[in-house]
């Protein structure tokens, strides 16, 4: 499925009072904002409510933290703003930032305003409806975009304080275990097994990597492609970005080849050659560009880790859905996949 991420609208916008305060803030802080505010809620995304903002001939996108009680360190739109503002001119396509508001008196929560990028967003990794040659070109562009993120000179971009790369994977296991516990709604035996197994089998040397910029959620539907060309115009949704091991980012992206569409937007079970899509090894080779990559055992551990991590993320979505502050209408169904992802992770361990 393809669409314009910025244009698919659903659900209510803000209250009239919130819109009035927002318009005043935008006039004071965002260049070119002039005229009557037009605001609509956008579909897509499970974390932060997103809106299309229009005034006169100009358009922007606004992302805000959701209302209600939130998990610690979640919904970090301020983090998104910081990293995307820093990346301008550093080889990674991102929207231009318009402003950041951390004053809850405006609309009740922190929000960021960015440029509206016209382009295509694909949700289904099989890219139905496209010719095989275009599918192949889009996947090549995606691999190149991920490699560009990991090549960023962190110091030159002013992102040296964006995270702590030391013991990155050990800290990630601990973090997502806490997040899972804080949002747990049922007992999932494979998740308990992964929580015990992952730290006990962490491959030697992975926690000693000096670190690069990592996106944290690099997948097809977090890219905006050119309307007609196989070219990435913007990488979006940076709230999980930090400094860490690039192979964690890489394996999360490659996870699509190891899970089914029913587990979570996967390619497993598709005839890749018929679709014109690369297999996992070919896509990995495109990303590496001749550089050394993880061996098979390390990649298997990384895959199990990322399935565990995704299960924890999905569990958080499910908890927000049941609390009534989810960002998307399909949050309950999406979050219910937590068990399936934990089961996939444990199957990865058992081989």
């Amino acid at each position: 499925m393809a669409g314009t991420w910025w244009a698919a609208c659903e659900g209510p916008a803000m209250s009239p009072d919130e819109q009035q305060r927002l318009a005043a803030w935008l006039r004071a802080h965002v260049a070119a904002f002039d005229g009557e505010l037009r605001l609509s809620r956008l579909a897509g995304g499970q974390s932060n409510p997103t809106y299309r903002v229009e005034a006169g001939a100009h358009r922007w996108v606004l992302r805000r933290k959701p209302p209600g009680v939130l998990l610690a360190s979640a919904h970090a739109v301020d983090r998104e703003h910081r990293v995307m503002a820093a990346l301008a001119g550093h080889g990674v396509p991102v929207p231009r930032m318009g402003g950041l508001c951390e004053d809850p008196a405006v609309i009740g929560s922190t929000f960021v305003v960015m440029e509206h990028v016209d382009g295509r967003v694909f949700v289904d990794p099989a890219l139905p409806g496209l010719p095989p040659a275009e599918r192949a070109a889009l996947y090549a562009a995606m691999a190149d975009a991920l490699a560009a993120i990991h090549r960023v000179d962190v110091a030159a971009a002013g992102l040296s304080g964006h995270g702590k790369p030391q013991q990155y994977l050990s800290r990630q296991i601990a973090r997502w275990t806490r997040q899972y516990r804080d949002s747990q709604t049922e007992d999932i035996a494979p998740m308990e097994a992964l929580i015990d197994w992952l730290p006990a089998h962490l491959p030697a040397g992975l926690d000693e990597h000096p670190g690069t910029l990592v996106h944290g959620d690099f997948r097809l539907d977090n890219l905006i492609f050119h309307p007609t060309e196989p070219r990435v115009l913007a990488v979006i949704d940076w709230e999980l970005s930090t400094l860490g091991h690039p192979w964690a980012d890489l394996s999360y992206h490659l996870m699509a080849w190891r899970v089914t569409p029913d587990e979570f937007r996967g390619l497993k079970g598709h005839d890749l050659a018929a679709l014109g899509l690369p297999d996992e090894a070919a896509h990995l080779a495109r990303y590496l560009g001749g550089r050394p990559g993880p061996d098979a055992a390390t990649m298997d551990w990384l895959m199990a880790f990322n399935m565990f991590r995704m299960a924890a993320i999905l569990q958080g979505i499910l908890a927000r859905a049941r609390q009534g502050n989810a960002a998307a209408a399909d949050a309950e169904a999406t979050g219910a996949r937590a068990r399936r992802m934990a089961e996939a992770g444990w199957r990865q361990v058992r081989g």
Side-chain angles (χ1 to χ4, degrees):
M1 186 180 90
T4 304
W5 182 69
W6 308 128
C9 303
E10 66 173 17
M14 301 176 196
S15 72
D17 286 346
E18 288 175 324
Q19 292 189 48
Q20 185 176 16
R21 293 192 297 270
L22 174 62
W25 187 92
L26 291 167
R27 290 189 186 99
H29 295 91
V30 177
F33 185 89
D34 186 27
E36 183 179 353
L37 170 67
R38 302 187 303 278
L39 187 74
S40 52
R41 179 75 180 269
L42 302 184
Q46 291 289 345
S47 183
N48 298 311
T50 305
Y51 303 80
R52 181 175 58 197
V53 176
E54 299 178 87
H58 298 282
R59 292 183 296 170
W60 299 266
V61 168
L62 182 150
R63 278 167 64 80
R64 65 180 294 186
K65 289 190 176 185
V69 178
L70 306 176
L71 294 174
S73 76
H75 312 283
V77 295
D78 50 338
R79 192 173 191 83
E80 286 190 283
H81 178 271
R82 183 185 313 119
V83 68
M84 286 192 281
L87 284 174
H90 288 274
V92 178
V94 291
R96 289 191 300 272
M97 294 295 99
L100 170 70
C101 177
E102 298 180 281
D103 181 0
V106 179
I107 61 171
S109 61
T110 298
F111 65 88
V112 61
V113 178
M114 66 189 79
E115 86 171 301
H116 182 289
V117 177
D118 286 314
R120 296 176 293 168
V121 173
F122 302 96
V123 175
D124 186 339
L127 300 177
L130 297 182
E134 185 173 4
R135 292 188 183 114
L138 288 166
Y139 267 69
M142 183 162 50
D144 293 347
L146 181 59
I149 291 171
H150 297 159
R151 288 196 303 266
V152 167
D153 185 326
V154 170
L159 290 169
S160 296
H162 195 60
K164 299 175 182 178
Q166 296 78 21
Q167 287 76 54
Y168 171 70
L169 285 157
S170 292
R171 290 188 295 101
Q172 282 281 295
I173 295 167
R175 174 192 175 177
W176 290 107
T177 299
R178 288 193 303 271
Q179 297 280 60
Y180 173 71
R181 295 288 185 223
D182 288 345
S183 59
Q184 191 170 355
T185 57
E186 62 175 328
D187 291 330
I188 301 176
M191 197 66 170
E192 302 300 331
L194 286 167
I195 288 170
D196 291 337
W197 185 88
L198 287 166
H201 295 83
L202 178 66
L206 276 188
D207 259 357
E208 281 68 62
H209 193 279
T212 67
L213 178 65
V214 295
H215 180 274
D217 196 14
F218 190 90
R219 62 182 193 228
L220 181 68
D221 53 310
N222 279 332
L223 305 178
I224 301 176
F225 289 91
H226 187 278
T228 60
E229 301 173 13
R231 180 160 55 91
V232 176
L233 296 183
V235 182
I236 58 175
D237 202 354
W238 290 82
E239 68 173 283
L240 295 176
S241 66
T242 188
L243 303 184
H245 203 305
W247 290 354
D249 229 11
L250 168 66
S251 53
Y252 174 85
H253 175 56
L254 293 176
M255 189 170 63
W257 278 261
R258 304 221 186 172
V259 298
T260 66
D262 186 57
E263 286 166 340
F264 193 77
R265 298 179 187 174
L267 288 168
K268 187 176 180 181
H270 284 292
D271 185 339
L272 300 181
L275 291 171
L277 296 177
D279 61 18
E280 181 185 325
H283 195 67
L284 171 61
R286 173 78 186 208
Y287 161 85
L288 290 172
R291 301 184 307 278
D295 60 30
T298 299
M299 182 62 84
D300 286 345
W301 185 94
L302 287 164
M303 288 291 183
F305 159 73
N306 273 304
M307 292 171 186
F308 150 79
R309 178 177 177 267
M310 177 54 78
I313 291 171
L314 293 170
Q315 182 62 54
I317 292 169
L318 180 61
R320 289 198 303 277
R322 294 183 177 178
Q323 291 164 2
N325 65 339
D330 63 345
E332 178 86 21
T334 298
R337 295 181 177 187
R339 175 178 289 276
R340 275 172 269 173
M341 283 304 300
E343 290 169 348
W346 192 237
R347 285 198 304 272
Q348 180 71 42
V349 169
R350 292 180 300 168

